[in-house]
Amino acid sequence: MLRKLKHLFSKPLPPEPVQDDDDELLSFENPNFITEPDKIAKLLGEIENSSPLCTVQVEGEDFSSSILAVKLDKKVIILDELMPKHGNDFLLLSRSLKLSTFHKGIHLSFNLTGIEVGHSRGINYYKAPLPDRVFYPQRRRTPRLEISSIDIPFSGVVQRTGISVGGSLFDLSRGGAGITVPVNRARVQRGDTVKNCQITFEDYVMDFDLSVRFVKPVSASSAKVQIGGLFENLSSKSQSKLSYFITSLERVEIRKQKA
């Protein structure tokens, strides 16, 4: 679908500076920043391939999104629309954001400015010039947190097809999850809503709907498919339980990095 989207792209707006605490340090003073364009492009390409769910900060509020594509020839990055949906209104006004995610177990972040909006199948996407630097403190190369090792099963029903889908989590955030399914019999596609979803962690059953943001094969030789999406209709109790669970996982990861 992204091949179709690229025909909609137009010239990006001139970048506008976004300030945060890290911007007070020049890149050559802080070894935690990557500033070489080739290294930035390689890193963003790796993040695109791993399809993590990202935290996007706009106007001081946090939202969820994901990276749809990194177009190195055009030097642009394409993001999915934000959830909750009111974040899109903020972004249309500010045209700038801060994106954070984890890669190989290490937190990274970067600013995007001069953001443009496009539409496909009724869903927004955003295009921006590649960042000129990325905060990526490479203390050590540790594996990205693998939720699949904890064995969290997933189940739900695809609203469009009425077919049940089941699998296990490989990725989890406060805003959504990534699921590996043995085969895509339910014909899940981007833009679908999976209803009546359930996952269980620490003896707590969490009910929610999932708004699908990407669907891709695990490999060319495998029938397994990875599905990534954002949580919808989470109860306040589930939000609290999920946040506590993820915080505990993050603490474990931090202890591994310091070991």
Side-chain angles (χ1 to χ4, degrees):
M1 182 177 69
L2 289 175
R3 292 179 180 175
K4 296 179 180 179
L5 294 182
K6 69 181 181 180
H7 296 297
L8 302 175
F9 294 161
S10 56
K11 186 177 180 181
L13 297 173
E16 298 176 0
V18 175
Q19 298 293 328
D20 60 33
D21 294 338
D22 297 325
D23 287 336
E24 296 177 0
L25 296 174
L26 297 177
S27 59
F28 62 80
E29 295 175 329
N30 193 334
N32 292 329
F33 283 101
I34 296 176
T35 58
E36 297 178 28
D38 289 345
K39 290 184 178 180
I40 290 176
K42 182 177 183 295
L43 177 62
L44 294 182
E46 291 176 356
I47 296 171
E48 176 197 357
N49 289 334
S50 62
S51 302
L53 292 164
C54 307
T55 297
V56 171
Q57 188 177 79
V58 184
E59 299 292 338
E61 290 194 35
D62 289 340
F63 304 93
S64 297
S65 183
S66 60
I67 297 174
L68 296 178
V70 177
K71 299 292 186 180
L72 299 182
D73 55 337
K74 298 181 181 296
K75 297 183 179 180
V76 297
I77 184 171
I78 303 170
L79 302 180
D80 201 355
E81 67 177 352
L82 309 188
M83 293 294 289
K85 292 183 178 180
H86 70 273
N88 299 288
D89 297 330
F90 291 166
L91 187 53
L92 289 174
L93 292 174
S94 69
R95 302 285 173 159
S96 61
L97 59 82
K98 180 177 181 178
L99 184 146
S100 304
T101 188
F102 280 87
H103 182 60
K104 296 179 179 177
I106 299 173
H107 176 265
L108 65 84
S109 63
F110 53 85
N111 296 322
L112 294 177
T113 60
I115 295 173
E116 293 184 335
V117 63
H119 308 275
S120 176
R121 295 184 178 180
I123 300 176
N124 290 345
Y125 66 86
Y126 300 100
K127 181 187 71 171
L130 296 180
D132 57 7
R133 64 177 184 163
V134 177
F135 179 72
Y136 187 47
Q138 302 168 79
R139 293 182 294 274
R140 58 181 296 182
R141 295 178 65 85
T142 56
R144 188 162 63 93
L145 183 63
E146 290 290 342
I147 300 297
S148 57
S149 65
I150 308 177
D151 189 20
I152 300 179
F154 166 88
S155 64
V157 178
V158 181
Q159 186 177 43
R160 179 176 54 84
T161 63
I163 301 175
S164 298
V165 58
S168 58
L169 268 60
F170 70 86
D171 196 6
L172 181 65
S173 77
R174 291 172 176 82
I179 304 104
T180 300
V181 300
V183 62
N184 192 9
R185 291 194 179 93
R187 304 190 299 279
V188 184
Q189 62 186 34
R190 182 174 182 265
D192 278 347
T193 297
V194 185
K195 305 289 287 185
N196 303 321
C197 301
Q198 283 192 340
I199 60 174
T200 302
F201 53 88
E202 296 185 337
D203 297 326
Y204 179 76
V205 179
M206 190 174 89
D207 298 300
F208 58 96
D209 296 333
L210 189 75
S211 177
V212 177
R213 287 297 176 262
F214 70 82
V215 180
K216 69 176 185 177
V218 171
S219 68
S221 59
S222 174
K224 291 184 179 180
V225 172
Q226 290 183 335
I227 299 169
L230 303 177
F231 297 136
E232 294 184 348
N233 301 322
L234 270 184
S235 67
S236 57
K237 181 178 180 180
S238 289
Q239 290 174 347
S240 177
K241 290 278 190 180
L242 177 64
S243 181
Y244 181 83
F245 178 60
I246 290 176
T247 298
S248 67
L249 296 179
E250 289 172 342
R251 288 173 178 167
V252 170
E253 189 62 33
I254 290 171
R255 285 196 292 268
K256 287 181 181 178
Q257 293 180 24
K258 291 182 176 179

